[in-house]
Amino acid sequence: MSARPESQKKDGDALVMERDRLPVIALIAANLIPLVGIFLFDWDVRYLLLLYWLENLVVGAFTAIRMFSVGGIGALPMVLFFSFHYSFFCGGHGMILLGVTSLAGPENQEAPFQESGIPFLIPLELLGNTLAWIKLNMPDLLFVPLLAMVLSHAVSLIRHHWLGREDEGRKAQDIMSDPYRRIFVLHLAIIAGSFFIVSTGGGSAAPMLALLVGGKIWLDLRLHRKAHLDRHRKATSMDSDRTL
């Protein structure tokens, strides 16, 4: 296997940057919406943590779409496995956040948590309980802010997956691991920043929350750009290998 010329690599990267212009605009716009909540509706750090948790569900849904797109009906077992595993991951994360968020402000109402005791339903129950809590206590997150996240990731899916064909040659199991790396790094940074804000007594201080939003946008852009550049380079490399 021969390495691609450096000029070809640069040309490919420039193509990705051009293709990424609209997704980046959509990503920034979606991530700026929380500033409206902070400055006009007195959101505190809890709202940001749970909104970013909701974004995880959006990422998971679009990952499943990508898996089906490359694998067809044959990818169904892998999609089901991913849905179970990812639901467990997000559900556990959500329940932890419900405990953490009480540090940032007064206690809210409690949603009626459901427990069936059936093992394979635990991931869905964890997700359902977190969503029920948000619906009862922070229903405004489920409308414009969540819709903005959906539209942002939909634009990226169309531009990069379908038009840019970045996942061409990949298997469903390869795509399945994509969201975990980004979520782990991003949310580790978000939670660390949130704990710092809460520990300094700034859980509802607009300037500190705006800094958290700005930091999230910066890191999200870096992770987004790196992921798509890596996928494009890998897809291009596979195309080059097939022509040799």
Side-chain angles (χ1 to χ4, degrees):
M1 176 170 31
S2 60
R4 291 187 299 144
E6 189 64 25
S7 59
Q8 183 180 347
K9 179 180 176 181
K10 290 181 178 179
D11 289 343
D13 290 355
L15 177 63
V16 174
M17 301 285 270
E18 176 65 26
R19 184 190 301 138
D20 202 31
R21 186 174 301 172
L22 182 59
V24 162
I25 292 172
L27 185 153
I28 293 173
N31 277 284
L32 286 176
I33 286 179
L35 292 180
V36 177
I38 291 169
F39 287 103
L40 296 185
F41 302 106
D42 297 323
W43 282 12
D44 56 35
V45 74
R46 296 169 300 167
Y47 280 83
L48 297 181
L49 282 170
L50 291 170
L51 175 61
Y52 296 150
W53 177 82
L54 286 170
E55 186 182 13
N56 292 344
L57 305 188
V58 176
V59 171
F62 282 112
T63 299
I65 292 173
R66 289 168 55 210
M67 292 171 69
F68 264 125
S69 180
V70 302
I73 193 64
L76 180 60
M78 190 61 63
V79 171
L80 291 175
F81 173 77
F82 167 75
S83 299
F84 179 86
H85 189 276
Y86 193 77
S87 296
F88 219 130
F89 175 80
C90 288
H93 181 195
M95 297 303 289
I96 291 171
L97 288 182
L98 291 187
V100 168
T101 50
S102 65
L103 298 172
E107 294 289 343
N108 284 329
Q109 306 174 61
E110 290 194 12
F113 289 171
Q114 304 294 324
E115 295 182 6
S116 67
I118 303 175
F120 69 85
L121 290 180
I122 290 176
L124 296 179
E125 289 171 356
L126 290 173
L127 286 180
N129 288 335
T130 308
L131 287 169
W133 192 95
I134 293 173
K135 181 180 179 182
L136 184 63
N137 296 288
M138 302 176 178
D140 43 327
L141 291 182
L142 300 176
F143 295 98
V144 174
L146 180 58
L147 178 61
M149 296 295 184
V150 171
L151 292 176
S152 170
H153 287 278
V155 168
S156 184
L157 176 78
I158 293 170
R159 295 286 286 181
H160 291 295
H161 175 77
W162 280 318
L163 298 181
R165 302 171 68 181
E166 285 183 0
D167 288 322
E168 186 168 345
R170 303 182 74 198
K171 297 179 181 179
Q173 54 263 41
D174 300 325
I175 294 174
M176 182 176 69
S177 64
D178 285 346
Y180 293 98
R181 292 186 287 269
R182 182 173 174 180
I183 286 173
F184 179 79
V185 174
L186 188 59
H187 280 264
L188 189 64
I190 290 170
I191 291 173
S194 299
F195 267 115
F196 174 78
I197 289 174
V198 172
S199 66
T200 57
S204 59
M208 296 188 73
L209 297 179
L211 284 175
L212 181 63
V213 171
K216 195 264 186 182
I217 293 174
W218 176 80
L219 184 56
D220 208 3
L221 279 172
R222 285 182 63 88
L223 295 172
H224 167 90
R225 183 61 56 79
K226 182 179 185 305
H228 290 293
L229 281 173
D230 288 348
R231 289 175 204 164
H232 175 79
R233 290 168 183 169
K234 187 172 182 179
T236 303
S237 178
M238 292 175 66
D239 286 341
S240 298
D241 293 341
R242 283 195 290 264
T243 60
L244 293 178

